[in-house]
Amino acid sequence: MEIYQDIFNALTFPCFVLEPIRGQYLIREVNKEYVSLSKTSKKIIGMSITEVFQENPEHLGTSWGKIHNSLNEAFVNGVPDNIETLRYDMLIREIEEFEEAYWQIENIPVKDETSGMVTYILFVVRDKTLEVLKKMK
């Protein structure tokens, strides 16, 4: 298991492992890149993804619904699901304001070798903010 942890932490993009439990997705692990980007700690492990990520009140319900649908697709169908571009503003905790941000998201199911059932989802994000804002100009 240690080698997998080393690989997970060596990834150059933020990601974390979610465990689907009764319609919720609990955070089981986060990599170093995610901790660096979000300026949080591993204290979020064990929390629901909806508890950790606050949505910008100006865009309430639009982003989270798409993320939840993608997670459900990966969980139910057992195949990766992608969101090519999604606006999900980042909360800057120091000033309690949201900063406009765009992401590419991939939800990759991880299956139990014996049962073939999805036990975890690898949630991978790539920041597309500069690319999207450049196109908007």
Side-chain angles (χ1 to χ4, degrees), residues 76-112:
V76 171
N77 296 326
V79 295
D81 192 78
N82 300 306
I83 301 173
E84 188 57 39
T85 304
L86 176 73
R87 179 172 180 173
Y88 199 96
D89 298 340
M90 292 292 292
L91 176 63
I92 309 304
R93 296 191 189 283
E94 296 83 24
I95 58 174
E96 290 297 313
E97 290 184 15
F98 285 88
E99 181 176 87
E100 185 174 355
Y102 295 86
W103 306 94
Q104 178 182 20
I105 299 171
E106 184 171 11
N107 291 305
I108 305 166
V110 178
K111 297 178 183 179
D112 178 89

Side-chain angles (χ1 to χ4, degrees), residues 30-125:
V30 296
N31 72 347
K32 290 178 184 176
E33 190 67 26
Y34 171 77
V35 171
S36 175
L37 170 76
S38 64
K39 298 177 179 70
T40 61
S41 67
K42 291 194 171 202
K43 291 179 184 177
I44 64 172
I45 293 174
M47 296 175 70
S48 166
I49 190 173
T50 55
E51 291 176 294
V52 174
F53 295 103
Q54 297 176 347
E55 245 186 317
N56 185 339
E58 294 178 19
H59 303 281
L60 203 57
T62 57
S63 300
W64 177 243
K66 291 178 183 174
I67 293 170
H68 195 261
N69 288 342
S70 178
L71 287 166
N72 285 340
E73 284 291 319
F75 176 61
V76 171
N77 296 326
V79 295
D81 192 78
N82 300 306
I83 301 173
E84 188 57 39
T85 304
L86 176 73
R87 179 172 180 173
Y88 199 96
D89 298 340
M90 292 292 292
L91 176 63
I92 309 304
R93 296 191 189 283
E94 296 83 24
I95 58 174
E96 290 297 313
E97 290 184 15
F98 285 88
E99 181 176 87
E100 185 174 355
Y102 295 86
W103 306 94
Q104 178 182 20
I105 299 171
E106 184 171 11
N107 291 305
I108 305 166
V110 178
K111 297 178 183 179
D112 178 89
E113 289 181 20
T114 307
S115 70
M117 301 293 294
V118 175
T119 53
Y120 298 101
I121 295 176
L122 180 62
F123 185 89
V124 180
V125 297

